Amino acid sequence: MEILVPILTNAFASDLFAGGLALGVFGVIAAFLRTTLIALYHALDKRIWVSLTLDNRSPTYRYFCIWMEQNRVLARSRHVRMTDGRWASGTKGFGPAPGRHWFFSGGKLCRLERDIDEKSKIGAAQNQRPMEVLQVTVLFGKVETILGWIETGKEVAQTKDRVGPGLHILKGDWWDHVGDVPRRSIKTVLVDDDRIESVLTDMRWFYRANDWYAERGIPWRRGYLFHGPPGTGKSSLIRALASEVSLDIATLDIGRSGLTDDDLREAMMCAPAGSLIAIEDIDAVFAQREGGEKRTGVSFSGLLNAIDGVAAQEGRALIMTTNHKDKLDPALIRPGRADVHVELGLVGAATARRLFARFFPDEHDLALLFERHLGGQTFSPAQIQGWLLTNSSNPYDAAQASGLILPLQGVAAE
């Protein structure tokens, strides 16, 4: 200690040492203050700003973009990016450039940050687009405010810009809204009786029957099975029902390579709200269950659990179609999984006449001639439509039905 005392005394007497020490202390204090201020800033930032992050795998991304355009919140932005129109269907051919943008809405200061990752692609191989992320932040706002903007954009998408049911396809582990399909009237689905009107009435009842199911302690689910030969209108009926009941269509390909039981269950649990779920040609995937054979990544038991298991989604209709009902396992089409069975078969001459009249509305006499030529034979609606399309410019030739009428069998020429 006796040696250190004179050394320290001499050091403190040195202006260089004292200045260096002072600078060191000042640096420590400055670093402490900086860390403290940053921590206070982040704490304050979390309290005065609310934010919501969206990416273009979700339909909410499109709804928010439509809301921005409808309200012209970035009309004065000087930084935009030209697009191919797919960044948000229903908007113009350009959007905000990547980076930060400021705007006011409802008296609130808002910030939009758009990030585009060109290396991360989403969508099918033939329709890929880069991953995009929007972060919406509002000063002294509420998350409910941003959600309200998204809901407004959704209403616009479903009314003004809607041409028909929205089509959602499962892409990986998320549902992709790939666009709208044209609206179709229920009257365009041809049958010989009123079974189409009956299934429409049933589906309308189902989507209004939440309380009815709850009062009886029954899961709010409804399954439909459309069956019949190819070309009888099963897919057309799905689109017509969605159009009439104002629903979207969420279509599932359960035979897709790599799809597992867990994937299927989660996909059906998070199917887009306001959609009916369609699984077409289910016989092609599970034609028969023999010896527990597992023909795809989705097992038979996994499919059954996804339809009506403990975690199955409620408040949605499920439609399955098949060309061969007899090949389906009874467990798949029992009540509770397929409550309503609708057969779409071949149609007779009177129904074919109605389609002729739709093609040629001013040719009443030719429509009757067409019916007489068809006689007692039956046809699929697709056959009749194909014949009428082939002769769409010549109603007289169409009325002859020469390409539809089967030749008489067993009559030998004398």
Side-chain angles (χ1 to χ4, degrees):
M1 282 294 296
E2 294 180 357
I3 298 174
L4 289 176
V5 171
I7 294 174
L8 291 174
T9 302
N10 292 332
F12 279 107
S14 170
D15 292 339
L16 182 62
F17 178 82
L21 181 63
L23 286 174
V25 173
F26 179 78
V28 171
I29 295 173
F32 174 78
L33 290 176
R34 181 176 180 275
T35 302
T36 303
L37 289 174
I38 290 175
L40 288 173
Y41 169 79
H42 285 302
L44 186 62
D45 184 67
K46 291 181 179 179
R47 290 182 175 273
I48 67 175
W49 295 92
V50 296
S51 64
L52 184 66
T53 302
L54 311 166
D55 66 63
N56 59 338
R57 295 176 299 176
S58 166
T60 56
Y61 180 95
R62 173 176 176 253
Y63 300 150
F64 180 77
C65 294
I66 291 175
W67 173 84
M68 285 197 300
E69 183 162 297
Q70 288 290 313
N71 291 273
R72 297 177 57 81
V73 296
L74 296 178
R76 296 183 180 181
S77 177
R78 301 176 63 182
H79 303 282
V80 297
R81 173 188 172 98
M82 297 302 297
T83 73
D84 60 3
R86 293 183 301 173
W87 78 285
S89 175
T91 62
K92 296 178 180 178
F94 61 88
R100 182 172 293 184
H101 305 264
W102 298 89
F103 63 93
F104 282 93
S105 180
K108 302 287 187 181
L109 177 64
C110 308
R111 183 178 70 221
L112 172 73
E113 294 182 70
R114 184 184 185 198
D115 178 65
I116 301 178
D117 186 353
E118 297 287 352
K119 295 182 179 179
S120 298
K121 301 292 185 179
I122 63 173
Q126 68 275 15
N127 191 34
Q128 285 193 334
R129 55 193 186 276
M131 179 79 169
E132 300 185 24
V133 177
L134 294 180
Q135 185 177 61
V136 191
T137 308
V138 181
L139 180 64
F140 297 116
K142 297 180 179 180
V143 173
E144 289 77 10
T145 300
I146 306 175
L147 295 178
W149 296 344
I150 293 172
E151 187 63 28
T152 300
K154 180 179 180 180
E155 292 172 0
V156 172
Q158 292 180 337
T159 54
K160 181 178 178 180
D161 297 334
R162 188 180 178 93
V163 298
L167 180 62
H168 305 266
I169 297 177
L170 186 66
K171 299 284 186 68
D173 59 352
W174 53 280
W175 288 94
D176 187 16
H177 178 266
V178 296
D180 295 344
V181 294
R183 177 180 173 81
R184 182 157 192 163
S185 170
I186 201 75
K187 295 179 180 179
T188 63
V189 183
L190 296 180
V191 291
D192 289 335
D193 53 26
D194 63 350
R195 70 188 68 184
I196 299 302
E197 287 75 13
S198 296
V199 72
L200 174 60
T201 299
D202 184 272
M203 185 170 287
R204 282 177 170 160
W205 169 83
F206 167 72
Y207 276 98
R208 296 192 298 261
N210 186 11
D211 293 340
W212 187 92
Y213 277 84
E215 289 170 1
R216 289 156 179 79
I218 305 171
W220 185 28
R221 293 191 289 264
R222 193 77 165 162
Y224 299 82
L225 177 69
F226 299 162
H227 61 96
T232 51
K234 297 181 289 294
S235 297
S236 298
L237 180 54
I238 292 175
R239 186 193 299 183
L241 289 170
S243 300
E244 297 286 349
V245 190
S246 298
L247 297 170
D248 284 353
I249 302 171
T251 180
L252 266 171
D253 177 12
I254 61 172
R256 192 188 72 197
S257 176
L259 187 69
T260 66
D261 290 348
D262 289 341
D263 295 334
L264 178 62
R265 183 180 65 253
E266 292 175 8
M268 294 186 70
M269 286 174 57
C270 64
S275 298
L276 59 82
I277 301 176
I279 305 177
E280 297 191 81
D281 297 320
I282 197 165
D283 57 287
V285 182
F286 296 106
Q288 285 183 337
R289 183 162 57 105
E290 297 179 357
E293 181 184 4
K294 185 175 178 181
R295 303 183 59 180
T296 71
V298 175
S299 68
F300 188 77
S301 61
L303 174 62
L304 299 185
N305 287 331
I307 292 175
D308 66 350
V310 174
Q313 187 188 77
E314 296 192 18
R316 56 96 182 114
L318 169 67
I319 299 178
M320 297 178 286
T321 72
T322 178
N323 295 334
H324 306 284
K325 180 183 176 182
D326 58 305
K327 293 183 178 180
L328 297 180
D329 192 299
L332 177 63
I333 57 176
R334 67 160 175 77
R337 292 177 180 142
D339 306 281
V340 180
H341 294 202
V342 182
E343 182 176 8
L344 298 172
L346 305 180
V347 297
T351 301
R353 172 176 52 79
R354 286 164 34 206
L355 184 55
F356 186 99
R358 194 178 303 151
F359 269 74
F360 309 106
D362 299 325
E363 301 291 349
H364 177 69
D365 291 340
L366 288 179
L368 294 174
L369 178 63
F370 182 62
E371 180 180 2
R372 287 198 300 272
H373 280 157
L374 295 181
Q377 297 184 31
T378 57
F379 311 86
S380 74
Q383 285 179 295
I384 302 169
Q385 180 174 286
W387 169 253
L388 296 176
L389 282 171
T390 301
N391 298 277
S392 59
S393 61
N394 193 326
Y396 179 80
D397 285 351
Q400 306 311 307
S402 58
L404 288 173
I405 302 172
L406 297 175
L408 293 175
Q409 302 294 322
V411 179
E414 296 293 339

